[in-house]
Amino acid sequence: MGKKKKTIRSIPQQRTPVREQDARVRVKNFDEVNCGYSLEEALNEAERCLLCPDPDCVAGCPVNINIPKFIEAITAKDFRGAYNVVTASNLLAAVCGRVCPQETQCEGVCVVGESLEPVAIGRLERWVGDQAIKEKWANVPYVEPSGFKVGIVGSGPAGMACAADLAKAGCEVTVYEAFHQAGGVLKYGIPDFRLPNAVVDAEIENLRKLGVKFECNTLVGRLFTIEQMRDELGFDAVFIGTGAGYPSMLGIPGDTLNGVLSANELLTRCNLMRAKEFPNYDTPLPLGKHVAVIGAGNTAMDAMRVSLRLGAEKVYCIYRRSRAECPARAEEVHHAEEEGVEFHWLTNPIEILDDGKSGVRAMRCLRMELGEPDDSGRRRPIPVPGSEFEFETDQVVFAIGTNANPIIGQTSRLRLNQRGYIETDETLATSMAGVFAGGDIVTGAATVIEAMGAGRKAARSIKNYLRIRDSQADNGDGVNVGTFFGIDLRERNFARVRAA
Amino acid sequence: MVDADPGPGFKILVREDFSDVTYSLVIHHPLMAKAARPGQFVIVMSHESGERVPLTIADFDRAKGTVTLVVQAVGKSTKEMQQICQVGTSLYGVVGPMGVPSPLAGKKKVVCVGGGLGVAPIFPQARGFKENGAYVIGILGFRTKNLIFWEDKFRACCDELILCTDDGSAGMKGFVSDGIKLAIEGHGNIDEVVAIGPPIMMKACAETTRPHAIKTIVSLNPIMVDGTGMCGGCRVKIGNEIKFACVDGPDFDGHKVDFNDLMMRLKRYAEEEKVALDRWSENCRMTQRTRPVLKGAEAADLTLPDPFEDALGG
């Protein structure tokens, strides 16, 4: 560009703040909390990137977006170009810019972050994604048909990412979804104030433009099996990304009372079934006045903040460990706190007490203290003797983790591990030839972007399996693509070995 | 080869009204017809802003590519469906077949019990047992004679049929549990009893067979959202365990089911159901829409829907 090289001294020192809805206002609506950057703000923040020639951020991104290149395009006001760079690695910019835990990924290794606050890569990615939606940009590359048909089970982030890469490689891709709308956890799980459904729909529309077919209302495993997809429906390869949606139960007395529900049920009723608009939408979601959410992960935070917006007077977070061990993103905890969620750390419910009418009156809880680290490396919570007390609440929501969805396991001969997750090798190939799996159904509950990374990795393995050479359209990610998973060159070598 | 493209919406090919409140819908869905097994259910959405309503599959015809659902109009969704689901219209969503199919093989003598709307979903099981070579005793219970449906279909696949009405207007006077007693008296070697109906009926059936130690399977239909093991709304107590009716059931050992817990959980949304129904009924009165089937909705005394009845779902 002929510009002078940027240094840590020459860039704007302060991270550009992003406007947020005021906590008192937003707690009464489902509009987005984070308003996103304006053009000026995006340009200002983009200036902060040092455009490192050997950037750590790219390797820190599970899908290896060429971050310096897209930020450079923003500073050059080539916004379409910036979008092209992002979409070369990630078709879902508007989604990932919102829900990725950037602080532990790209931003966590940003060189600027060593001395200043890291570049707000996530906010910039979102800005690019939102521009694309606003301007109706869609990158539909010319794709030469490969003649292969690939079936994808599950339309969540893993399935969407896998579908995008395979469609770009010329495959005829069909994505099956059991719900009546595509999007998986992005639709039913993540609330509108963090990720509006309209944004998800816009991204799905882009996949449609790539030629991806979405078949909703299709419960794979029961309507037809994985084996049938391969043997009867004519799919040359199958990718399974059905997630880990089966909620863990509390397993304490009173957990089937009517005032007790899973965070999954609460979120699905509200987000996908639009219970917040009941009775205009038919699905109800009555909640108590005082909602106690058990657990402190991102799902728990979402459940709490949804409860507040649905009119709960008090919302409590009940967690058996302390704030330091809390698995939710710091930003989510901060937002929940701002909105008035009351945190009760080191508190463990042992029984839910009924009100005599099958509802909830209170929980019996124990105070905990932290002992030695456990298997997870976090300090193990230990009950404080004699600390039992009653915690008054009329609604209990549990968000204590999820397990593998059982349906594919029940209906196919795929090899599962002891916990019911699908077993794969390092290429994400399952025990069945031509069938690949990735995302939460392989790893257990993780993040949206990790699932997308797995979807892309599986797409590469499927291309190998089908001996599809990477087309022009699939390249363009530039520098570092491949090094993270060790793919590009090896992919071709591998294909040759297979062909031999 | 199966055809993977069911097309937009799910077309209603045939509709039959059994009574003011009970109707059957025959839906075009060749893939589902091929995949369905006795004991399984579907989730239906009649329109985009509708609820997901679980309904047990009452029949399927692989040659015609159809699936039959029997619905009782008790809540807002099912009453609205009664009005809008006419031949030629389409359902917005039908997904399934869900749940673990009922094992049918290896039984010599079985009793298939259906009470009220439970008569419909017991049919594929009775037929399935017959096809697997069992001696099938059907027991059907209705409140009164003019509510009886599908008697002919059962006669065709049952070796014996015991018809019970609460008022004695047809068959024997009494409940299906009385019918079970009669069957047990007449046959000493019953392998299994399968009972489908309102929870209170299934509970009575299980209690009738318990002293005789006859294996008794019941089909549970609690409130659920997704039907794929995700929401946990359909959790039921089976012995000391918590199970999800959608993916672990819907069939469970009737001697282990905690029916009181089930009945309590079915009342979870009773208040909201009433709000939805009242509002809908009011709208129906306000707008002079053409309503081909009026009886159910017109009935002035729209009382609180019985969630137990709703739970039958078909």
Side-chain angles (χ1 to χ4, degrees), chain B residues 9 31 71 83 164 176 178 196 201 222 257 305:
Chain B
L31 264 185
V71 192
Q83 214 181 69
C164 314
V176 287
D178 300 316
I196 309 183
M201 179 215 101
V257 172

Side-chain angles (χ1 to χ4, degrees), chain B residues 45-63:
Chain B
M45 276 180 88
S46 53
H47 53 81
E48 208 182 336
S49 56
E51 272 187 293
R52 294 171 65 85
V53 182
L55 297 167
T56 309
I57 296 170
D59 200 1
F60 46 87
D61 187 326
R62 292 186 185 142

Side-chain angles (χ1 to χ4, degrees), chain A residues 232 255-256 262 280 282, chain B residues 1 76 231 235 261 265 279:
Chain A
E232 294 178 38
D255 66 359
T256 61
S262 72
N280 287 329
D282 290 342
Chain B
M1 226 23 207
K76 186 254 172 178
C231 76
R235 60 191 187 274
D261 186 74
R265 288 188 60 75
R279 185 169 173 273

Side-chain angles (χ1 to χ4, degrees), chain B residues 13-69:
Chain B
L13 302 181
V14 181
R15 167 181 166 140
E16 198 180 334
D17 288 83
F18 298 138
S19 73
D20 286 357
V21 292
T22 312
Y23 52 99
S24 71
L25 303 173
V26 178
I27 292 150
H28 180 70
H29 199 323
L31 264 185
M32 181 95 73
K34 188 180 177 215
R37 298 285 180 278
Q40 293 187 299
F41 64 97
V42 296
I43 286 187
V44 169
M45 276 180 88
S46 53
H47 53 81
E48 208 182 336
S49 56
E51 272 187 293
R52 294 171 65 85
V53 182
L55 297 167
T56 309
I57 296 170
D59 200 1
F60 46 87
D61 187 326
R62 292 186 185 142
K64 289 185 188 153
T66 59
V67 172
T68 304
L69 306 173

